[in-house]
Amino acid sequence: MPTIPPKSLRPATLLVHGGTERTPYGETCEALFLTSGFVYESAEQAEATFTGEIKHYQYSRFANPTVAMLETRLALLEGADACRATATGMAAVHAAMLSHLRTGDRVVASRALFGSCHWIVSTLLPRYGITTVFVDGADLAAWAEALATPTTMVLLESPSNPMLELVDIRAVCDLAHASGALVVVDNVFATPMLQKPFELGADIVIYSCTKHIDGQGRVLGGAVLGRQKWVDDVLTPFIRNTGPSISPFNAWLLLKGLETLALRVNAATATASAVADHLASRPEISRVLYPGRTDHPQYALAQKQMSGGSTLVAFELAGGKAAAFAMMNAMRLVAVSNNLGDSKSLATHPATTTHMRIGAEERARLGISDGAVRLSVGLEDAADLIDDIDQALEGLPHPMRQAAE
Ligand SMILES: *Cc1c(COP(=O)(O)O)cnc(C)c1O
């Protein structure tokens, strides 16, 4: 069968075909190589593999054919030279940062990060003598001030978890590059479908594949994408020797998840947009944050760097924590969970779960009030979700329907 150069294919096609390597059996579905090791035809072949004279799979901690298909498909989709898949999203963040950083280096990060990313920057890196500085991600003057000092690496997340604050990726990349830093973008909330960080100047892009890429709540996974030289010389030796490798079985499920990624993200984004508009019309809701709505404080930036508002909506109940809890408990379709990017809609109360550990002061700085709820919109019919939200809000006792005096 003749093959088409993959770079000429569009994303929807790459999601189905990118990176596929058929075995001589000619299977249609990607083969699952559930094996830890590989055998050689001879001791000479083993020797030639280890000297690098020939390419042969050695051990699944280093590389595996199913994992390689996932890595190639993700790299083609993202427009990256190279990709390494990892066991979790946090393994991806950790590997990307620790493979590159040395004692004495400096890291600047946006404050609004996923909880464990915040821990790596605030707690882990300083243990190794790495200076870390947090800035308000939406404040370009703060980025400019922090990046006036030579810096090694920048970590940012846009839109951020949980309040969907944006960072001007292009502007921060320009400042970071002038400061000597590589920019790492955690693109989980936008997904590969709605934002292309490399086109905006990013050097490294990270995913938790656990979220939309699996998208069906089954497995954990992560990915780091970047330039060939950096991946070969810096990232790969780190992964090879420290072992955050992904199971071939999980990689296989993620390959199947990628096949429907565009369909799922587009459908959930259309539903999230309808749900956000509906929430904004309800008197019990004091504020809706959705990058696809004109009242988002950074709507112009969202239009510039994203092609959709995302599958997540943040909102605040006028009645505070009691109202947020009552609403979450009363919903019948939308379950209470700290996960996101699932085909099932999920609601989180960040102040008491995902962002409990950062403390009240830091939450206030990030705009996470006690009435805030983060909704991860799934693949249900929008009308059913809206009905569920309405019945939950209408069941709120009267004093909870508005702000306390
Ligand atoms: C979930 C998540 C991670 C961590 O991914 P895991 O797969 O849970 O390790 C990192 N960043 C963001 C934005 C996430 O949502």
Side-chain angles (χ1 to χ4, degrees):
M1 197 174 135
T3 52
I4 307 170
K7 293 218 155 88
S8 67
L9 296 171
R10 293 160 185 84
T13 311
L14 289 173
L15 286 168
V16 181
H17 291 285
T20 302
E21 292 241 23
R22 291 209 165 90
T23 74
Y25 292 119
E27 66 283 351
T28 39
C29 179
E30 295 77 0
L32 168 52
F33 290 91
L34 200 57
T35 183
S36 45
F38 299 85
V39 298
Y40 306 93
E41 278 164 20
S42 62
E44 286 77 7
Q45 195 190 37
E47 183 186 31
T49 301
F50 276 76
T51 60
E53 261 167 77
I54 60 163
K55 274 212 159 291
H56 192 291
Y57 283 102
Q58 294 158 283
Y59 189 48
S60 286
R61 170 150 48 77
F62 306 169
N64 169 284
T66 305
V67 175
M69 286 192 263
L70 172 65
E71 292 170 336
T72 306
R73 188 170 293 179
L74 281 169
L76 287 168
L77 177 66
E78 199 69 39
D81 293 346
C83 169
R84 290 309 309 257
T86 55
T88 66
M90 284 323 302
V93 175
H94 177 253
M97 299 193 85
L98 270 291
S99 66
H100 188 79
L101 294 167
R102 304 278 182 280
T103 299
D105 283 348
R106 184 168 190 274
V107 170
V108 176
S110 53
R111 196 183 299 288
L113 290 178
F114 184 74
S116 294
C117 298
H118 194 280
W119 184 85
I120 286 183
V121 174
S122 66
T123 307
L124 184 67
L125 297 181
R127 282 185 199 162
Y128 296 94
I130 296 159
T131 305
T132 64
V133 177
F134 281 110
V135 298
D136 170 356
D139 182 352
L140 272 183
W143 281 107
E145 193 188 324
L147 292 168
T149 306
T151 299
T152 323
M153 203 168 235
V154 163
L155 173 66
L156 66 88
E157 193 182 311
S158 182
S160 71
N161 178 35
M163 300 312 283
L164 307 178
E165 178 187 279
L166 307 190
V167 176
D168 186 333
I169 298 175
R170 188 180 295 282
V172 171
C173 286
D174 288 345
L175 290 166
H177 293 155
S179 182
L182 290 185
V183 178
V184 183
V185 175
D186 180 337
N187 205 38
V188 169
F189 271 44
T191 83
M193 306 321 304
L194 302 179
Q195 181 167 270
K196 299 277 176 211
F198 287 119
E199 290 174 11
L200 300 167
D203 301 286
I204 296 157
V205 173
I206 273 164
Y207 287 104
S208 164
C209 300
T210 314
K211 312 297 165 54
H212 306 81
I213 291 175
D214 173 42
Q216 290 147 88
R218 302 169 298 189
V219 294
L220 302 175
V224 184
L225 298 110
R227 290 186 194 90
Q228 193 71 51
K229 189 170 162 48
W230 182 82
V231 170
D232 288 348
D233 297 351
V234 178
L235 181 67
T236 296
F238 184 90
I239 288 181
R240 198 181 150 108
N241 294 301
T242 63
S245 321
I246 187 169
S247 151
F249 180 73
N250 290 3
W252 180 81
L253 278 173
L254 296 174
L255 275 164
K256 306 319 285 176
L258 280 174
E259 289 186 350
T260 55
L261 180 69
L263 300 173
R264 288 184 288 100
V265 169
N266 291 340
T269 298
T271 304
S273 171
V275 167
D277 289 346
H278 186 74
L279 284 165
S281 76
R282 297 283 325 191
E284 302 87 348
I285 305 295
S286 50
R287 193 159 74 117
V288 174
L289 286 164
Y290 184 66
R293 277 177 57 84
T294 55
D295 61 357
H296 188 284
Q298 298 160 294
Y299 177 67
L301 178 59
Q303 292 290 104
K304 211 168 69 173
Q305 68 185 22
M306 297 176 73
S307 57
S310 92
T311 68
L312 290 123
V313 182
F315 58 94
E316 242 168 42
L317 281 107
K321 178 181 170 182
F325 271 35
M327 178 197 184
M328 288 169 69
N329 291 340
M331 286 195 289
R332 297 164 186 160
L333 271 179
V334 181
V336 177
S337 172
N338 48 279
N339 200 8
L340 65 100
D342 196 312
S343 50
K344 297 172 176 68
S345 292
L346 303 170
T348 307
H349 185 252
T352 53
T353 59
T354 54
H355 291 70
M356 182 253 294
R357 286 218 172 81
I358 64 171
E361 201 181 310
E362 187 72 356
R363 278 199 299 279
R365 261 197 262 180
L366 295 174
I368 306 171
S369 71
D370 288 348
V373 173
R374 184 196 74 194
L375 180 65
S376 169
V377 175
L379 299 177
E380 301 90 345
D381 191 301
D384 285 331
L385 289 177
I386 286 170
D387 286 350
D388 195 30
I389 287 167
D390 281 348
Q391 65 81 25
L393 292 175
E394 275 149 26
L396 292 182
H398 263 281
M400 280 191 202
R401 291 204 175 183
Q402 56 234 301
E405 288 303 305

